[in-house]
Amino acid sequence: MRGPSRQKRRNLVGSILLGALLYAAFFTGGQGLQNKKRTTTRLLMGTLVSITTWGVEEEQERQGVAAAFAEMARIDALMSRHQPQSPVAQINAAPVGSPFSVSPELVGLLREAWKIQTLSQGAFDPGLGQLIERWGFSGDKPPTLPPTKAAMATWLATFQPGEGIVLEEGSAGEESRIYLTNPATGLDLGGIAKGYAIDRAIFKLKEFGITNALVNAGGDLRGIGHKGEAPWRVGIQHPREKARLVAESQWPNRPDTDVAMVTSGDYERFFIHDNKRYHHILDPKSGYPAQTGLLSVSVQANSATEADGWSTAFFVLGEKQSRKLLPKLTGVEVLFVRQDGSHWKSVNFLGKWLGKP
Amino acid sequence: MNRAPRPDLLIAYLAAAAVAAHILEAAIPAPGPWFKIGLANMFTLVAFFHLGWSAAALVSLMRVMAGSLLLGTFLSPTFFLSLSGAIGAVLVMGLVPLLPFRVGPVGVSILASLTHMVCQVVVAWWLIIGHDGIFLALPWFLIGSWFTGLLNGLLAYLILTRLAAHQSMNLQW
Amino acid sequence: MNFFRLLRKATQPGDRWLMALSALLLIGYAGFGAGQRGTLVTIHRDNQPLNRLALAEDSSLLVAGRLGSVTVEVKGGRARLLEYDSPRMIGTRTGWIEKAGEIAVCVPCGILIQIQGEEANPTSSKLNSHGLDGIAR
């Protein structure tokens, strides 16, 4: 085949190739690469919870995410001090000394809380329910006044840090029981509840075969896997200016990545009275909001439960004590943002400081 | 000069001119790596229409290599963006003979310019940026590329006609 | 004009065809392919869809929240929650929202509003512009 018909053939091939190239370049570049990441957002646990997955087939994603949200709602109900049927509420409502049967799950959580309490020398305390009640931070309407001196005095006089909650382990086959021994003690696992819910959400996602996901519950997050060729990237909000970031964190770009990060700050729940800021992270020793010269503490750990507990503990302990504690903990990394705008972060903390607040 | 210079010398001149243009352009402050006119490309186009595809490929790649070495960006992310864009553009130029119609410097330039931008953005997304937001900007970048392609094509045309006038060579495309 | 005469001299029919085709494709792509502008705002109460408002028309709607009424306002293609008493307003952006996927929330009220766009998978514009998948706080 020579001459004009050969040229015609080449022209046809060329036109098709050109058309295909143009189509591929213009449309695929914009569309195809975007649709693999999906985010679902719900109002849960009193805050916004988002679950983002990458590269998961639509139906599988829908089911996995629904299961994860359902699990988080279940834990929210379990931990609630206000819903009368929740185990925690019932333990708190029972008269001092009368035991209440609990599930192994609750036992495990209490033990985890106690572990952090011991290691932090009491900075983290799962028995602050009554104190929190007096401050009013857990109600729907935020407080505007600190509790009266009298109310604080009676609480301080009665409360015994480190005591007040007793666990009776059931022998084989029997349920364990928990009861309170001090009227000033209230069981409150809020310090690790959100972290635990996040861990369970990830567990459910994995059950549905989802291995690349990011669960973000009101600013506390845990990410597994990555987004194909790119890692999960997270910004840490500025403690004072909501629209700004104070640091940027990039998880490792590997399929086996698993990082949890929880931040405790004096800006999450607070009120200002008489020119003084009263925030919700209470020091069990004084009964008042911890004043340790910090704006926020961000902790990265292997589980969100640990990260949640330690971020509270470190905030109460303050930077110096916390740093002394760090070598004893495995897999825990921390970023302190101090009141003067400076910061300190541990060696393996994943995150790049973006500039002075 | 009445005689046309040897092809390999002409390639060298064009490559040198391209590198010079590239460096001159780098001195002009621009809002970002995407906002360049790419004047160096006009010499690649001249090579394409005057000497053929392989000459154009040589000029283009030599410009990327020498340019990055001189500017100190060799093997940096910018370099890979540049290189990927250049490779894409060169490959697309190779498809030009397959087209069912004849195109001149303007058409080829626009085609190469758009391809260059798409390749750069995809490589940037893949290697550097890692999130999909960049694709929101792509249509606007491409519109810019269309115009710079037009400009470079016109400039190449001007050079080619003057070359023809001086060398009294038969210039056909 | 000088420029257009040059243009005509410098181009062949093939060039012009290519120019026109690529220009058309680009305009189509810019207009429809990658757009993420919002078209309506959906209002949810306790995660149940309650109502929707088109962003094209200015309007305001009184919605019953858990603590009283909340106004959802649409103006100039944007939407916002006019809340009155909740300092704990948590959302990815306070104030006006307009891009597909953006959310504003009044947590104690149980009200959430979200912009729906033409995109199948909207992402928050703030996250997009930083290249982030989430904000920790």
Side-chain angles (χ1 to χ4, degrees):
Chain A
M1 212 185 342
R2 295 227 150 220
S5 43
R6 183 181 196 184
Q7 184 59 36
K8 274 219 196 101
R9 190 99 96 50
R10 291 174 80 198
N11 287 337
L12 184 59
V13 171
S15 326
I16 294 174
L17 264 176
L18 181 63
L21 237 179
L22 286 174
Y23 180 78
F26 296 158
F27 290 100
T28 313
Q31 296 287 25
L33 293 161
Q34 283 194 48
N35 289 351
K36 292 182 123 183
K37 185 170 97 162
R38 287 199 202 91
T39 303
T40 319
T41 308
R42 294 264 180 91
L43 264 180
L44 213 51
M45 301 188 294
T47 185
L48 269 183
V49 183
S50 301
I51 299 186
T52 306
T53 61
W54 188 92
V56 184
E57 184 263 315
E58 199 169 331
E59 183 57 22
Q60 180 189 12
E61 202 255 355
R62 203 184 53 79
Q63 290 185 0
V65 167
F69 276 128
E71 178 75 353
M72 292 178 100
R74 178 185 77 82
I75 294 175
D76 193 24
L78 176 73
M79 299 293 157
S80 164
R81 283 186 311 112
H82 298 130
Q83 290 177 33
Q85 326 89 301
S86 92
V88 172
Q90 297 198 40
I91 292 171
N92 285 327
V96 168
S98 56
F100 186 81
S101 297
V102 290
S103 65
E105 188 179 36
L106 199 51
V107 172
L109 267 174
L110 184 58
R111 289 190 175 288
E112 185 72 31
W114 274 339
K115 195 173 83 178
I116 301 179
Q117 180 173 27
T118 313
L119 282 171
S120 71
Q121 291 148 359
F124 181 85
D125 195 319
L128 298 180
Q130 298 271 0
L131 181 64
I132 295 175
E133 208 65 43
R134 266 158 232 251
W135 279 92
F137 280 116
S138 54
D140 263 344
K141 280 197 153 249
T144 45
L145 287 174
T148 62
K149 290 251 166 70
M152 289 303 298
T154 44
W155 185 84
L156 277 168
T158 328
F159 185 73
Q160 301 286 351
E163 301 175 15
I165 306 173
V166 176
L167 168 68
E168 264 177 17
E169 300 263 26
S171 40
E174 269 186 27
E175 281 200 314
S176 308
R177 301 185 304 176
I178 295 178
Y179 61 91
L180 305 175
T181 56
N182 188 314
T185 301
L187 179 61
D188 184 296
L189 291 166
I192 50 172
K194 223 198 284 173
Y196 180 65
I198 295 173
D199 285 334
R200 289 296 302 174
I202 295 273
F203 178 81
K204 280 289 169 185
L205 290 172
K206 284 186 184 169
E207 253 185 8
F208 277 78
I210 298 174
T211 53
N212 297 315
L214 182 69
V215 176
N216 185 339
D220 301 328
L221 13 93
R222 181 169 163 194
I224 53 172
H226 55 169
K227 295 182 297 178
E229 295 303 321
W232 291 115
R233 294 180 60 202
V234 159
I236 302 180
Q237 189 177 292
H238 190 291
R240 290 292 182 261
E241 292 169 54
K242 272 202 234 181
R244 267 183 63 190
L245 294 179
V246 97
E248 246 181 56
S249 189
Q250 199 162 293
W251 282 195
N253 190 356
R254 294 193 316 259
D256 62 346
T257 294
D258 191 343
V259 181
M261 179 160 74
V262 174
T263 306
S264 288
D266 71 351
Y267 52 90
E268 296 169 293
R269 279 184 227 187
F270 68 96
F271 61 89
I272 304 204
H273 173 77
D274 260 355
N275 262 329
K276 205 162 172 277
R277 175 185 289 249
Y278 295 91
H279 61 81
H280 77 296
I281 305 173
L282 303 168
D283 184 342
K285 300 210 167 79
S286 71
Y288 281 87
Q291 303 291 346
T292 46
L294 294 169
L295 291 180
S296 77
V297 177
S298 297
V299 171
Q300 288 169 356
N302 297 323
S303 73
T305 313
E306 278 179 90
D308 202 356
W310 283 113
S311 71
T312 308
F314 285 159
F315 193 100
V316 174
L317 275 177
E319 186 183 335
K320 238 177 59 191
Q321 295 281 67
S322 309
R323 282 167 70 167
K324 281 204 208 129
L325 211 49
L326 267 183
K328 305 199 187 114
L329 308 169
T330 49
V332 175
E333 306 294 332
V334 59
L335 166 72
F336 293 104
V337 181
R338 307 185 190 117
Q339 263 166 6
D340 64 1
S342 59
H343 74 287
W344 182 87
K345 65 178 167 87
S346 59
V347 174
N348 291 324
F349 186 86
L350 297 164
K352 195 174 74 161
W353 185 254
L354 287 179
K356 259 173 68 72
Chain B
M1 244 203 309
N2 282 332
R3 266 180 37 222
R6 285 164 34 213
D8 49 346
L9 270 184
L10 191 52
I11 292 179
Y13 290 150
L14 288 170
V19 172
H22 184 72
I23 294 184
L24 267 170
E25 216 181 38
I28 305 173
W34 317 106
F35 295 89
K36 288 215 300 260
I37 304 179
L39 291 170
N41 292 308
M42 72 174 119
F43 299 108
T44 309
L45 288 165
V46 170
F48 181 69
F49 285 100
H50 202 74
L51 298 166
W53 180 82
S54 39
L58 271 174
V59 170
S60 180
L61 292 173
M62 283 201 281
R63 184 257 298 181
V64 170
M65 292 293 172
S68 71
L69 282 168
L70 284 171
L71 286 175
T73 59
F74 189 57
L75 292 184
S76 72
T78 319
F79 168 75
F80 288 109
L81 292 186
S82 237
L83 186 63
S84 64
I87 292 178
V90 159
L91 288 177
V92 157
M93 286 203 281
L95 296 177
V96 164
L98 295 175
L99 288 173
F101 43 80
R102 303 250 283 330
V103 275
V106 172
V108 174
S109 180
I110 289 184
L111 207 53
S113 179
L114 293 175
T115 314
H116 183 103
M117 180 58 80
V118 171
C119 292
Q120 271 198 320
V121 169
V122 170
V123 169
W125 169 81
W126 187 49
L127 285 182
I128 302 169
I129 299 185
H131 74 93
D132 306 335
I134 185 72
F135 293 110
L136 275 182
L138 184 57
W140 313 110
F141 288 161
L142 285 176
I143 289 177
S145 296
W146 193 92
F147 284 103
T148 61
L150 175 60
L151 179 63
N152 279 327
L154 287 175
L155 289 170
Y157 168 80
L158 288 172
I159 297 179
L160 285 161
T161 46
R162 269 146 188 70
L163 253 186
H166 279 275
Q167 312 295 340
S168 61
M169 279 170 37
N170 256 346
L171 215 55
Q172 273 182 340
W173 61 75
Chain C
M1 310 225 61
N2 232 350
F3 177 73
F4 286 107
R5 230 183 308 137
L6 169 65
L7 198 54
R8 198 164 337 132
K9 253 206 301 173
T11 57
Q12 298 200 315
D15 290 308
R16 301 179 205 142
W17 194 87
L18 203 54
M19 285 166 69
L21 177 65
S22 56
L24 274 167
L25 280 173
L26 272 185
I27 291 171
Y29 180 39
F32 305 110
Q36 273 200 342
R37 281 171 42 241
T39 48
L40 35 87
V41 54
T42 52
I43 306 168
H44 301 256
R45 187 201 144 108
D46 291 335
N47 294 321
Q48 299 300 325
L50 200 58
N51 212 329
R52 321 178 6 185
L53 293 172
L55 286 178
E57 281 179 16
D58 290 355
S59 63
S60 83
L61 185 68
L62 211 57
V63 175
R66 272 198 257 131
L67 295 179
S69 1
V70 170
T71 308
V72 178
E73 195 182 348
V74 173
K75 199 156 168 195
R78 310 184 295 173
R80 71 169 170 180
L81 274 181
L82 270 183
E83 48 80 31
Y84 52 100
D85 209 7
S86 159
R88 253 198 294 165
M89 185 163 184
I90 304 167
T92 54
R93 190 184 288 276
T94 51
W96 294 102
I97 55 174
E98 56 179 316
K99 296 248 175 68
E102 280 192 84
I103 286 173
V105 150
C106 168
V107 173
C109 315
I111 302 288
L112 179 156
I113 64 174
Q114 182 170 41
I115 306 285
Q116 309 285 78
E118 299 135 343
E119 264 269 306
N121 292 305
T123 40
S124 154
S125 76
K126 171 164 166 210
L127 294 181
N128 247 343
S129 63
H130 277 151
L132 301 171
D133 306 299
I135 309 273
R137 54 189 163 83

